[in-house]
Amino acid sequence: MTVWDDLVGQDRVREQLAAAAKDADALVTAVTDGEPVEQGSKMTHAWLFTGPPGSGRSTAARAFAAALQCTSPDRALGGEPGCGFCDGCHTSLIGTHADVQVIRTDLLSIGVKETRDLVRRAQLSPAVGRWQVIVMEDADRLTEGAGNVLLKAVEEPAPRTVWMLCAPSLEDVLPTIRSRCRHLTLGTPPVEAVADVLIRRDGVDPERAHSVARATQGHIGRARRLATDERARARRAAVLKVPLRVADVGGCLKAAQELIDTATDDAKQMADEVDVKETEDLKAALGGVAGGRMPRGTAGAMKELEDKQKRRRTRTQRDSLDLALTELTGFYRDVLALQLGSRIAIANVDVQDSLDRIAESSTPAQTLRRIEAVIACRQAMDRNVAPLLAVEAMTMSLRSG
């Protein structure tokens, strides 16, 4: 099993990264041995992975990071880096390699302070590995100030530091940063490829694997969650009933409230799992005693943690709502396909009866307006409109078509 095996349906990207990893290996070997470095290398110091959600942007970046740290003896015999078995590959993939830093955020944005810490780290030489690798999974969440801090590091990197930025599209990254990165675009993986990896790696029943892969339209992460989490399947089933529940104003308002409540419950569940432990760990680090008062001068640190946890709950709620809106968009996409007699595969075949009812009782123009209403709701929440107001406006628009 090589490091590339989880990179589903991205053969072109895999070939490019494998070639770059091989050149990177030759480059480090040449420098170590004091030999001249060949020109025209496919390796560079900054990479930008873009593609739709679920395409495997972060998976590609992690696999590339592992290949750069590969220490397999087969490399000396002409083998490609990225064996998947050596210590360099293994620790990189599971997140314990000293020279591979993976940055992801469960907050709404990545700020200047966190970015400055990364830039300082990027100036260090590798401690144990062949490269210093920094993978930023949410580069689209950099604030403008954080992007400007990052720009200098990307412009003038340390000799053996590699930046890997992941974002949905080029437009989500500052032009000055993306112009200094080598750009790789990932596409949505084929349904069959997603089903195959669920069966092979996660042991999912073949019938369920194909069903969830089709329902999520090739989104690997969502497909895995639907296949393995009963709550996720129940939540999706509830969301797909919304189009049948907006026949009157009362139904619209009730459906909107239930979507908000579900998202709030998701945020609370994560908070219950993480916040208490974080708080107790910080109290212990600051010298607090269980059941007693905190030492003088620690209020600021506790307030900072509370603010972080509040921002994380907001992000979790928005992510949950966004997932529900994605499911609704997929539902109306299927309705439109039925109305137009399209040959594209129906994603939500498990609710075929509901699709048929909505398709027969409405027109393609109404369906398009409903899709636009869902998109408008997502845009409203991006502009920090109160979630309940945005979702209520959407459900009312779904009713009127």
Side-chain angles (χ1 to χ4, degrees), residues 58-114:
S58 59
T59 300
R62 285 168 175 265
F64 188 31
L68 292 179
Q69 305 291 12
C70 182
T71 57
S72 169
D74 292 342
R75 294 175 297 109
L77 303 175
E80 291 188 354
C83 65
F85 295 101
C86 70
D87 184 67
C89 288
H90 179 67
T91 55
S92 297
L93 292 175
I94 66 174
T96 59
H97 196 291
D99 295 314
V100 178
Q101 179 85 357
V102 179
I103 309 302
R104 71 178 69 85
T105 183
D106 47 16
L107 304 177
L108 295 174
S109 62
I110 301 174
V112 171
K113 181 178 181 296
E114 302 97 307

Side-chain angles (χ1 to χ4, degrees), residues 97-103 118 121 132-136:
H97 196 291
D99 295 314
V100 178
Q101 179 85 357
V102 179
I103 309 302
L118 281 179
R121 175 178 176 131
Q132 176 82 253
V133 182
I134 300 177
V135 179
M136 184 173 288

